[in-house]
């Protein structure tokens, strides 16, 4: 990455650089920005685990510190008491869940929320530092500010999504769940932030050369023809997964072949013979 940076600044004239301060500054900003999409990707993975374990509705409050961070009170059933207003509480559909089991889903959701907040801090502090050092150009600063605003909005979308699952279920045995449409919006915004960060960091470490370069223009055109349709297919597939998970659609179809009508009719005769 440092080689790309040094070549981009020292040997090429007219390249569109997004970082001031030379190769060292470009390397530092690039390393920081590479960590951001990696963190977002890990948060998406953690969110998928949270969804699969149905941990998302185990926390009903919405505080910056996460709420319920009371290790000493856990031993006296703090989580059981705090969760009684949730449809996923031990007194509700999960009445058979033990304290230790509920602690697991509670901490899974807590880790998911704190991981997102840590990402915001990890992004904001270096951003402020590089701004003060003068490394960030106006174009890059506007782009990063927009991505930070999207990240903050992700928290609001998460609250909006969880809120849809806190309504009282129609029966005491019904499984509470968040709206699959809100879940899809939450996942889509996460992918948008990830793609924006990845695009930005690649723009930093591999600056755009001047348009007068015929080789670059031809190469970019070839990549664009391939990347755009592939990205569209991947995006639609990923977002559709939110609807599959939100509706438990994977349970609606099994791979076993349905027995034929003639076989079903012959079963009583077979039973009599036996």
């Amino acid at each position: 990455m440092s080689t790309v940076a040094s070549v981009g600044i020292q040997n090429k004239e007219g390249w569109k650089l997004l970082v001031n301060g030379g190769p060292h500054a470009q390397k530092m900003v690039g390393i920081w920005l590479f960590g951001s999409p990696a963190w977002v990707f890990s948060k998406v993975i953690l969110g998928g685990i949270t969804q699969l374990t149905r941990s998302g509705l185990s926390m009903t409050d919405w505080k910056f510190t996460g709420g319920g961070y009371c290790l000493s009170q856990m031993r006296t059933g703090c989580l059981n008491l705090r969760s009684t207003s949730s449809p996923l509480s031990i007194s509700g559909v999960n009445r058979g869940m033990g304290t230790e089991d509920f602690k697991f889903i509670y901490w899974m959701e807590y880790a998911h929320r704190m991981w997102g907040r840590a990402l915001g801090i990890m992004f904001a502090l270096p951003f402020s530092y590089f701004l003060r050092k003068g490394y960030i150009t106006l174009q890059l600063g506007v782009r990063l500010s927009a991505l930070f605003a999207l990240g903050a909005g992700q928290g609001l979308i998460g609250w909006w999504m969880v809120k849809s699952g806190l309504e009282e279920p129609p029966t005491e045995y019904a499984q509470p769940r968040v709206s699959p449409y809100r879940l899809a919006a939450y996942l889509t915004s996460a992918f948008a932030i990830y793609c924006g960060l990845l695009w930005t960091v690649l723009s930093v470490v591999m600056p755009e050369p001047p348009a007068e370069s015929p080789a670059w223009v031809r190469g970019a055109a070839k990549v664009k023809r391939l990347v755009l349709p592939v990205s569209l297919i991947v995006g639609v597939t990923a977002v559709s997964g939110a609807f599959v998970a939100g509706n438990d659609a994977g349970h609606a179809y099994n791979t076993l072949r349905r027995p034929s009508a003639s076989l079903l009719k012959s079963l009583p005769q077979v039973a009599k013979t036996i």
Side-chain angles (χ1 to χ4, degrees):
M1 184 172 62
S2 60
T3 303
V4 174
S6 61
V7 170
I9 293 179
Q10 295 176 358
N11 299 336
K12 297 290 184 180
E13 295 295 335
W15 284 40
K16 299 179 181 179
L17 304 179
L18 295 178
V19 176
N20 299 319
H24 178 68
Q26 192 169 13
K27 180 179 179 180
M28 291 180 61
V29 174
I31 292 175
W32 161 58
L33 286 179
F34 262 121
S36 298
W39 199 303
V40 172
F41 185 81
S42 66
K43 188 176 185 300
V44 172
I45 298 298
L46 182 58
I49 298 174
T50 303
Q51 174 68 22
L52 290 174
T53 55
R54 301 192 182 279
S55 306
L57 301 180
S58 58
M59 293 180 64
T60 59
D61 55 357
W62 201 264
K63 300 178 181 178
F64 184 80
T65 57
Y69 191 78
C70 45
L71 287 173
S72 60
Q73 298 180 35
M74 273 186 176
R75 303 187 183 93
T76 60
C78 166
L79 293 182
N80 292 14
L81 296 175
R82 292 180 61 84
S83 65
T84 53
S85 61
S86 169
L88 201 65
S89 64
I90 295 178
S91 62
V93 69
N94 287 330
R95 58 169 49 86
M97 182 180 289
T99 302
E100 294 300 321
D101 295 329
F102 192 82
K103 286 180 182 179
F104 171 78
I105 65 172
Y106 184 90
W107 284 110
M108 183 65 67
E109 171 63 9
Y110 183 86
H112 179 57
R113 294 191 186 186
M114 292 301 102
W115 198 245
R117 289 165 173 77
L119 170 61
I121 296 174
M122 188 276 292
F123 187 88
L125 292 181
F127 184 33
S128 302
Y129 171 78
F130 291 135
L131 275 176
R132 185 174 182 181
K133 295 286 288 186
Y135 293 165
I136 306 295
T137 62
L138 177 61
Q139 181 182 356
L140 180 59
V142 171
R143 187 184 300 186
L144 293 177
S145 298
L147 289 171
F148 184 78
L150 286 175
Q154 178 77 352
L156 295 177
I157 296 175
W159 169 82
W160 178 62
M161 177 188 67
V162 171
K163 188 174 182 294
S164 67
L166 297 180
E167 299 176 357
E168 195 66 28
T171 66
E172 60 179 337
Y173 300 103
Q175 179 66 51
R177 64 180 71 249
V178 299
S179 167
Y181 301 100
R182 300 188 186 189
L183 177 61
Y186 185 70
L187 182 61
T188 302
S189 63
F191 274 112
I193 295 170
Y194 172 78
C195 293
L197 287 170
L198 189 60
W199 186 281
T200 300
V201 68
L202 292 177
S203 300
V204 167
V205 300
M206 292 184 290
E208 182 181 343
E212 292 78 13
S213 174
W216 179 85
V217 172
R218 288 194 298 268
K222 291 180 181 179
V223 172
K224 184 177 180 180
R225 285 196 297 267
L226 178 64
V227 168
L228 289 180
V230 171
S231 300
L232 180 61
I233 294 173
V234 171
V236 171
T237 303
V239 173
S240 66
F243 291 100
V244 173
N247 292 299
D248 282 339
H251 297 165
Y253 179 81
N254 58 61
T255 56
L256 298 177
R257 175 176 290 183
R258 185 176 180 179
S260 62
S262 58
L263 177 59
L264 292 175
K265 291 180 180 179
S266 64
L267 286 179
Q269 297 177 357
V270 174
K272 289 180 181 179
T273 305
I274 295 175

